[in-house]
Amino acid sequence: YSFGEEIMEINKKHFIQVFLTCLILVVICEFIGQRTIAIGKASIVLFPMLYAVIIGLIITPDLLGKKIKALKKVVGEKEINIAGEVVGIALVMLGIKYGTTVGPNIDKIIQAGPAFIAQEFGHILAPIVALPLALMFGMKREAVGATASISREPSLGVISEKYGINSPEGSGVLGTYLMGTVLGTIYFSVLGSISIYSGLHPYALGMACGVGSGSMMTAAAGSLSTMVPPEMADTILAYAATSNMMSSITGIIFLVFVSLPFTNFMYKILEPKFSRNKKTKEIKSTEGEC
């Protein structure tokens, strides 16, 4: 794997600091473990990955690193750059893992039926609904990475491979990924609890829990399974796991061949109409005329 000229020049000391920091975070977060907070009939499930992201954000040079000099020496700008490159390596391995699940589970995919595949067309809503909002908030090409999919691990791999993780598109998908990690598990945990009151069949709701994210799926399905009779819980978890597997496997294919090209197509159409910069230029132009 090529780290690029700048990364290759960095001392091995910085690599060691990155991996030791990650190891310490893993130990701390696993020690805290999974926590469930009950709010009335609903429940919020907190996972170790959530703690890792929050602690990782706090110890960066932009936050505590400014105030604690010793921490800045351990997690400085060089370490941040290395961490960004290491993400690419991890995503390559993750992509291989997802690829190896296709063969052994092909029977499950066929048995699951068209309903599991049909859910992937929900990705089309992201460019239609989220892309205009992203453009109005001032995003440019970042909006493509942020709205082409649900922005989980497979999406990170596709976007970073096509555009690079340090590209505007890479920043967009990474930003949405981090927000999903911090807020997504909480949101899906509550949604899983209250969705039972929608009137939909619990098995259909279980299928809807599989959005392509292991943490979000577990949070939603776990909360949902506590709201149904015990004999239905295992089936709901099985539907959620199968749906999540389908979202992960077919989601990559759908992202590459359908949703990402469609998002780029919509960007060309919507960017001139919804761009904040365009509105700013129009205001300046009007002021100039006055």
Side-chain angles (χ1 to χ4, degrees):
Y1 188 89
S2 174
F3 282 94
E5 295 180 1
E6 294 182 1
I7 301 300
M8 290 297 289
E9 293 176 358
I10 295 177
N11 195 293
K12 291 182 180 179
K13 170 187 173 183
H14 300 292
F15 281 96
I16 295 173
Q17 290 178 181
V18 169
F19 287 105
L20 285 178
T21 302
C22 292
L23 177 61
I24 293 172
L25 286 180
V26 169
V27 172
I28 293 173
C29 296
E30 289 295 334
F31 178 78
I32 297 173
Q34 179 178 319
R35 301 289 178 176
T36 302
I37 303 174
I39 303 178
K41 294 183 178 180
S43 59
I44 299 176
V45 183
L46 305 178
F47 293 91
M49 184 171 64
L50 174 64
Y51 318 141
V53 171
I54 294 175
I55 297 173
L57 290 172
I58 292 174
I59 64 175
T60 56
D62 293 328
L63 294 177
L64 284 185
K66 289 183 177 180
K67 299 179 179 180
I68 304 176
K69 293 182 179 180
L71 182 60
K72 190 174 182 179
K73 293 180 180 179
V74 178
V75 186
E77 293 297 334
K78 291 182 179 180
E79 285 75 21
I80 297 297
N81 291 333
I82 293 173
E85 297 292 339
V86 172
V87 168
I89 300 176
L91 291 174
V92 169
M93 293 186 288
L94 185 64
I96 295 172
K97 177 183 177 297
Y98 279 128
T100 57
T101 62
V102 177
N105 293 288
I106 191 66
D107 291 338
K108 293 181 180 179
I109 295 173
I110 295 173
Q111 293 173 6
F116 287 107
I117 299 176
Q119 69 179 356
E120 295 304 321
F121 286 93
H123 290 298
I124 295 295
L125 292 176
I128 296 175
V129 177
L131 185 60
L133 292 174
L135 292 172
M136 284 191 291
F137 283 126
M139 286 188 179
K140 301 299 271 183
R141 290 295 299 178
E142 293 87 353
V144 174
T147 64
S149 67
I150 195 174
S151 296
R152 302 316 299 163
E153 289 85 355
S155 306
L156 273 173
V158 171
I159 297 297
S160 63
E161 179 66 23
K162 185 174 179 62
Y163 300 104
I165 196 64
N166 293 320
S167 66
E169 294 84 356
S171 298
V173 70
L174 188 58
T176 307
Y177 174 82
L178 292 175
M179 291 301 297
T181 300
V182 175
L183 302 177
T185 51
I186 299 175
Y187 172 78
F188 272 84
S189 180
V190 175
L191 189 63
S193 299
I194 64 176
S195 62
I196 193 67
Y197 303 108
S198 65
L200 297 174
H201 196 282
Y203 292 162
L205 295 173
M207 185 187 299
C209 292
V211 295
S213 168
S215 59
M216 293 182 188
M217 181 273 292
T218 304
S223 300
L224 176 62
S225 62
T226 62
M227 305 297 294
V228 300
E231 62 270 15
M232 300 180 70
D234 289 342
T235 304
I236 286 176
L237 294 175
Y239 270 65
T242 304
S243 176
N244 197 67
M245 180 187 67
M246 289 293 297
S247 296
S248 299
I249 296 171
T250 62
I252 298 177
I253 300 172
F254 199 89
L255 173 63
V256 172
F257 294 104
V258 180
S259 60
L260 185 56
F262 181 70
T263 304
N264 278 308
F265 171 76
M266 292 297 295
Y267 178 84
K268 292 179 181 179
I269 297 175
L270 297 177
E271 196 277 333
K273 298 179 181 180
F274 289 92
S275 175
R276 177 189 287 183
N277 293 338
K278 177 178 180 294
K279 293 182 179 180
T280 304
K281 290 179 181 179
E282 289 178 352
I283 293 173
K284 290 183 178 180
S285 176
T286 305
E287 290 176 350
E289 291 176 0
C290 293

